[in-house]
Amino acid sequence: MQQLQKLSLMTTLATATIARRFAFLHALAVSDSSNKLKSIQQTQSRDKTTARNLQQQQTLPPKTALLVIDVQNDFALPAPSGSLSVPGALEVIPKINELRKKFPFDFVAFSQDWHRPGHPSFYSTHPEAKENGIQLFEKIQIHGRDQVLWPDHCKWDSYGAQFHPDLDYRNGDFVVQKGNRDADSYSAFMDNDREYPTPLHAELQWREITHVVVVGLALDFCVGNTALDAKELGYQVTVVLDLTRPVYQEEGVEMVKQMQGKHVRVVQSMDQI
């Protein structure tokens, strides 16, 4: 009888041990399954994010460059800090930064107005104009063409010529300086006398760029003329109106009409690129 009781006790203990081990193994299996499910869900979430990013990136044509025109302190800062302040200029800077982050541009270039002291485009350089009753922002003839007489602005190595500090400009970005000869230079490709090209076209060709998106300051002058020259040089061109501002509203409207007449693609926002 004692042997039977001892055998029954051993059997009960063995059964309990097996049950505990089964419960432990079952818990491990459930935990492992839960971890695998979480891993699968995380992978699916990453895949969906990647797919959305790829879908977004596919809206940008291949070999596309971003041209950021003249977002400099003298144009961007309100007067008197900016000597040639463009109304609403500060509004476009965060949007330009967002555009750069949103799309995988193959190349990004910045233009920079870069005038020597006493530049012919400065009103202060022409005291005879004032004597003849010609006012600031009016035009005179230089080299057989109209020249607007501007306030002194973007003198080389000056604070006004520097890019606005909030602009997403990075070390190593391509910079083209314009207006450093006797002629003014609205376009980032060529001076107004059409004699001296900048290095921009050659750089874009070397990189096999076929499309350019043009933003910056100001729509009715440097942005518009850059876009028109780019189109004439054979690029597909998009100008984003929400990422530029004109000096004069009426001239901005006329510039848009001129660009559209030359088949420059003009869109309202970056979502339409």
Side-chain angles (χ1 to χ4, degrees):
M1 180 64 69
Q2 290 180 347
Q3 290 180 345
L4 288 174
Q5 289 177 341
K6 185 177 182 180
L7 179 61
S8 176
L9 179 59
M10 292 176 62
T11 302
T12 300
L13 291 172
T15 300
T17 301
I18 292 171
R20 285 196 298 271
R21 288 180 178 177
F22 177 78
F24 176 72
L25 292 172
H26 177 69
L28 283 178
V30 170
S31 176
D32 185 57
S33 297
S34 178
N35 289 336
K36 286 182 178 179
L37 179 60
K38 289 181 180 178
S39 178
I40 291 171
Q41 290 172 337
Q42 289 172 350
T43 300
Q44 289 176 338
S45 177
R46 286 195 298 268
D47 289 345
K48 288 180 180 179
T49 300
T50 301
R52 284 196 299 268
N53 290 341
L54 287 173
Q55 184 179 15
Q56 183 186 66
Q57 291 176 7
Q58 288 169 355
T59 63
L60 194 65
K63 293 298 182 181
T64 299
L66 173 63
L67 307 184
V68 182
I69 307 301
D70 295 6
V71 184
Q72 298 164 260
N73 289 324
D74 271 342
F75 299 131
L77 293 175
S81 298
S83 65
L84 188 45
S85 183
V86 178
L90 290 177
E91 299 170 0
V92 309
I93 297 175
K95 296 176 182 180
I96 292 172
N97 295 343
E98 181 184 353
L99 176 69
R100 182 171 191 178
K101 292 183 176 79
K102 185 173 182 179
F103 291 101
F105 290 100
D106 296 286
F107 179 61
V108 180
F110 292 78
S111 75
Q112 193 175 28
D113 232 21
W114 198 250
H115 297 309
R116 63 172 174 81
H119 192 267
S121 68
F122 294 166
Y123 183 68
S124 63
T125 305
H126 303 277
E128 74 284 357
K130 186 175 182 180
E131 293 171 1
N132 292 328
I134 298 172
Q135 302 298 314
L136 190 65
F137 300 111
E138 293 184 350
K139 297 176 181 178
I140 63 172
Q141 284 280 309
I142 298 179
H143 302 157
R145 57 165 175 77
D146 285 342
Q147 172 63 59
V148 177
L149 294 180
W150 302 107
D152 289 23
H153 64 279
C154 297
K155 295 179 183 178
W156 56 37
D157 295 323
S158 69
Y159 176 75
Q162 295 174 16
F163 294 123
H164 189 278
D166 291 342
L167 182 66
D168 185 9
Y169 165 75
R170 307 170 189 176
N171 289 333
D173 281 337
F174 185 83
V175 177
V176 56
Q177 294 176 333
K178 60 188 182 66
N180 47 2
R181 296 179 179 272
D182 282 345
D184 210 349
S185 185
Y186 296 153
S187 170
F189 289 97
M190 182 80 67
D191 70 295
N192 290 3
D193 281 351
R194 320 303 289 173
E195 291 183 0
Y196 300 103
T198 71
L200 181 57
H201 179 45
E203 185 72 20
L204 295 177
Q205 285 187 309
W206 181 76
R207 294 177 182 272
E208 300 181 341
I209 297 296
T210 57
H211 295 69
V212 295
V213 176
V214 188
V215 300
L217 304 171
L219 172 63
D220 42 344
F221 289 94
C222 297
V223 169
N225 280 279
T226 296
L228 290 170
D229 276 357
K231 189 65 180 179
E232 186 175 344
L233 289 167
Y235 299 98
Q236 298 299 312
V237 185
T238 299
V239 172
V240 187
L241 292 181
D242 200 30
L243 276 67
T244 181
R245 293 291 185 273
V247 177
Y248 306 111
Q249 289 295 331
E250 290 184 2
E251 293 193 18
V253 171
E254 289 303 314
M255 178 57 78
V256 169
K257 292 178 181 178
Q258 187 178 349
M259 290 189 294
Q260 291 174 329
K262 296 294 184 180
H263 306 291
V264 170
R265 183 169 174 257
V266 180
V267 300
Q268 184 61 42
S269 71
M270 70 178 77
D271 294 330
Q272 298 172 298
I273 294 178

